[in-house]
Amino acid sequence: MLLPNARKLFLLITKISFRVCEGFCIKAKPENTSHPVDFNTGMTSPNSSHQPNPYTLLHIDEKKTIINSIKEAIGSEGFERTRIRRDAWFGGEMNEQSQDEKYMQMALKLAGKGVGEVEPNPAVGCVIVKDGQVIGRGWHKKFGQSHAEINAIEDCRSSGNNPAGATVYVTLEPCCHEGKTGACTKALIEAHVSKVVIAAGDPSEHLDGKGIEQLREAGIKAGVGVCEQEAKLLNAWFLKYARKQRPWVIVKWAQSIDGKLAWSNSEGERGWISNERSRKDVHKLRRSVQGILVGINTVLADDPLLTARPGRTSYPFQPARIVLDPEFVIPLDCKLVTTAKTSKLIIAVTEKAMKANAEKGKELLKEGVVVIAIPVKGEGYDLDALVEQLGKFEIARLLVEGGAETITSFLKAGVVDETRVYIAPKILGSKGDVGISEVMGKLAEAVQLYHVTVQKFDGDVCLNGFLREAHNF
């Protein structure tokens, strides 16, 4: 006997098969009055001069009904995992769809090259295809420099190719405004490309569909949704900040197999838990964020600089350093304070502590330190309000590197978007200190990770995961 969900899915497949057969019968009838789906609008066009596409078998309402039914049958998560694309099932030939995905995967790979240098801009890649051949490639390489589309067009022309009439694959909606660089839509229009395939839309207030609209008004076909999930995963932090003006929060820690965050007396390789390759990866992560946060206990114990080494070659050269210091006890001679004029330092304290240490606040102000108030909430502090405030400092991506208490407090407050854990192949036992498992035992609810990736760094294992699914970004 079929299970209820399996029965539903079986009936849906039967219905779709019936419609496919019906579609081929329709194709043979010259008197057919069904209309093709317009790639530009997503709607049927009764005035179109084109012949009906034999693969466009279902009208828009029917498509939506079947897609919703499939989601109900196999669940939203299962639907996402299948990577079903609407156009592949309902709007175009399967071969064309697979080609679109092939070129978009190339563009996504190019986009990844910009990570760590383009933020707070999103990482974007672009591929230009003509007559089945790639004639141009580009990606956004550095903040403040040319975007992916413009670089791809320049690459095209530098190799003697003409982009006119070509199809452009780009991982994010092209911008249509003049900023540090020219508008990408203008460049695409002036290049006379015929079609632009976009992985994901840009929800920024100055864009949000305007780029696509501008391309269509110029007679260029434009559509969104090829490899959309992969594109959203690449720029999840950007999509959140664009919609909410709140930072994407990453908590990061390194631990031994038995859950210890530190050596008890700085034994081992300079007291490190993780190895050199893992630490290099951490600095790459630091280069991609706009803020690094630790608790005051980390400052008192380690006197860190909290810089990315080496720094970026593009602005901002270093992320802002943030210290969660409710009682305002940070030493005036610590490295963070003495370097505040070269790298921004933000200290979050309670209003009570701020008033009680007014003179200290004035001294820190002279050193270029920014002091902000964090509200008290119950027996702790309002981390949600803190994250909201940090968004006003144009921190789109916040890395929390604090100790076990700080990390757990952020998880408990429900403000974390992503976790990154480096696990070293060591059991420290009595030689280890600060057991994170014991501290995380304070969490009232379990934390589920999605889109988990695993990397190996010379024996260390890095586990990365999001706290929500891609379709919820």
Side-chain angles (χ1 to χ4, degrees):
M1 179 180 292
L2 288 173
L3 295 173
N5 283 352
R7 187 183 301 110
K8 287 182 181 179
L9 191 56
F10 174 76
L11 292 173
L12 285 167
I13 292 171
T14 302
K15 178 177 180 180
I16 293 169
S17 300
F18 173 76
R19 296 292 280 142
V20 169
C21 293
E22 183 183 40
F24 282 109
C25 291
I26 287 173
K27 179 184 176 185
K29 294 182 179 180
E31 68 273 18
N32 171 45
T33 57
S34 65
H35 309 298
V37 174
D38 191 331
F39 185 77
N40 288 313
T41 65
M43 301 298 289
T44 55
S45 175
N47 298 319
S48 172
S49 60
H50 298 289
Q51 291 299 312
N53 182 347
Y55 296 93
T56 302
L57 309 177
L58 303 172
H59 291 292
I60 294 297
D61 289 342
E62 291 176 300
K63 295 178 186 182
K64 288 180 178 177
T65 299
I66 289 181
I67 288 173
N68 289 335
S69 298
I70 292 173
K71 284 185 178 179
E72 181 184 352
I74 65 176
S76 295
E77 185 176 348
F79 182 81
E80 289 298 326
R81 283 201 302 265
T82 60
R83 299 176 62 200
I84 295 172
R85 299 293 180 221
R86 183 188 66 190
D87 288 346
W89 275 53
F90 303 125
E93 297 187 33
M94 287 296 292
N95 184 55
E96 180 181 349
Q97 179 65 18
S98 63
Q99 288 298 305
D100 284 349
E101 291 194 352
K102 169 187 169 183
Y103 295 125
M104 191 61 78
Q105 289 292 343
M106 290 183 187
L108 286 164
K109 189 173 182 179
L110 289 171
K113 293 185 176 184
V115 173
E117 289 290 345
V118 302
E119 295 83 2
N121 285 349
V124 182
C126 181
V127 170
I128 301 176
V129 179
K130 189 173 183 179
D131 299 326
Q133 299 294 319
V134 175
I135 60 171
R137 296 177 175 87
W139 69 94
H140 185 26
K141 297 180 180 180
K142 293 184 186 296
F143 179 80
Q145 295 186 8
S146 299
H147 290 183
E149 300 91 324
I150 293 173
N151 286 334
I153 291 171
E154 289 179 356
D155 179 60
C156 193
R157 288 173 173 156
S158 66
S159 57
N161 293 305
N162 184 357
T167 296
V168 176
Y169 295 86
V170 61
T171 57
L172 196 68
E173 179 181 353
C175 68
C176 60
H177 62 286
E178 299 287 338
K180 289 182 173 60
T181 61
C184 292
T185 51
K186 181 180 178 182
L188 291 168
I189 292 167
E190 290 177 350
H192 302 291
V193 303
S194 64
K195 183 177 176 181
V196 179
V197 181
I198 303 162
D202 184 336
S204 302
E205 186 178 355
H206 57 265
L207 200 52
D208 199 16
K210 297 183 184 73
I212 296 170
E213 183 180 348
Q214 197 172 100
L215 291 171
R216 290 172 176 171
E217 287 175 352
I220 297 172
K221 295 179 180 180
V224 183
V226 177
C227 301
E228 184 176 22
Q229 177 167 298
E230 293 93 326
K232 284 184 173 182
L233 289 173
L234 178 65
N235 288 309
W237 62 271
F238 171 78
L239 299 175
K240 178 187 176 181
Y241 188 73
R243 289 192 179 98
K244 301 179 179 180
Q245 298 300 298
R246 283 174 60 95
W248 176 270
V249 179
I250 307 164
V251 293
K252 185 277 298 181
W253 71 90
Q255 66 172 67
S256 61
I257 291 175
D258 53 342
K260 301 298 176 61
L261 301 190
W263 292 88
S264 57
N265 56 359
S266 297
E267 294 183 28
E269 186 189 348
R270 296 175 57 196
W272 295 108
I273 294 290
S274 56
N275 64 29
E276 186 178 354
R277 278 198 64 199
S278 290
R279 297 197 295 275
K280 283 184 178 180
D281 189 64
V282 170
H283 283 286
K284 179 181 178 182
L285 176 61
R286 284 184 173 185
R287 284 191 291 274
S288 74
V289 303
Q290 294 75 54
I292 302 172
L293 182 147
V294 296
I296 185 60
N297 289 337
T298 297
V299 176
L300 297 176
D302 302 335
D303 193 18
L305 273 173
L306 299 181
T307 54
R309 298 185 293 277
R312 282 171 56 157
T313 57
S314 61
Y315 178 84
F317 301 105
Q318 288 290 348
R321 289 88 54 83
I322 304 118
V323 179
L324 185 58
D325 182 16
E327 303 304 319
F328 210 180
V329 298
I330 189 168
L332 294 178
D333 61 350
C334 72
K335 291 176 183 176
L336 290 172
V337 173
T338 57
T339 58
K341 289 182 179 178
T342 55
S343 295
K344 181 180 284 186
L345 174 62
I346 301 171
I347 304 175
V349 306
T350 63
E351 287 188 9
K352 181 180 178 181
M354 191 183 293
K355 291 177 181 177
N357 297 275
E359 289 303 315
K360 185 175 186 176
K362 290 177 183 178
E363 288 297 318
L364 288 169
L365 185 63
K366 291 178 184 178
E367 296 298 322
V369 178
V370 178
V371 181
I372 61 175
I374 178 173
V376 175
K377 185 178 182 181
E379 297 180 359
Y381 308 99
D382 193 341
L383 296 181
D384 187 72
L386 174 62
V387 171
E388 188 81 26
Q389 283 192 74
L390 293 177
K392 295 175 182 177
F393 287 92
E394 297 185 343
I395 295 174
R397 208 169 183 215
L398 175 66
L399 177 61
V400 177
E401 286 197 7
E405 292 287 351
T406 300
I407 290 167
T408 302
S409 65
F410 270 79
L411 287 167
K412 190 175 180 180
V415 295
V416 176
D417 299 290
E418 181 179 350
T419 65
R420 184 173 296 198
V421 187
Y422 295 86
I423 305 170
K426 303 168 184 174
I427 299 174
L428 301 189
S430 63
K431 298 292 186 180
D433 194 16
V434 190
I436 194 167
S437 300
E438 292 85 349
V439 180
M440 284 193 174
K442 299 175 184 177
L443 292 172
E445 300 291 337
V447 178
Q448 174 68 49
L449 297 183
Y450 301 91
H451 309 297
V452 175
T453 59
V454 179
Q455 290 178 280
K456 293 183 180 179
F457 298 110
D458 291 340
D460 284 4
V461 174
C462 176
L463 187 69
N464 198 92
F466 292 174
L467 273 73
R468 56 187 57 82
E469 295 180 82
H471 60 267
N472 292 323
F473 294 159

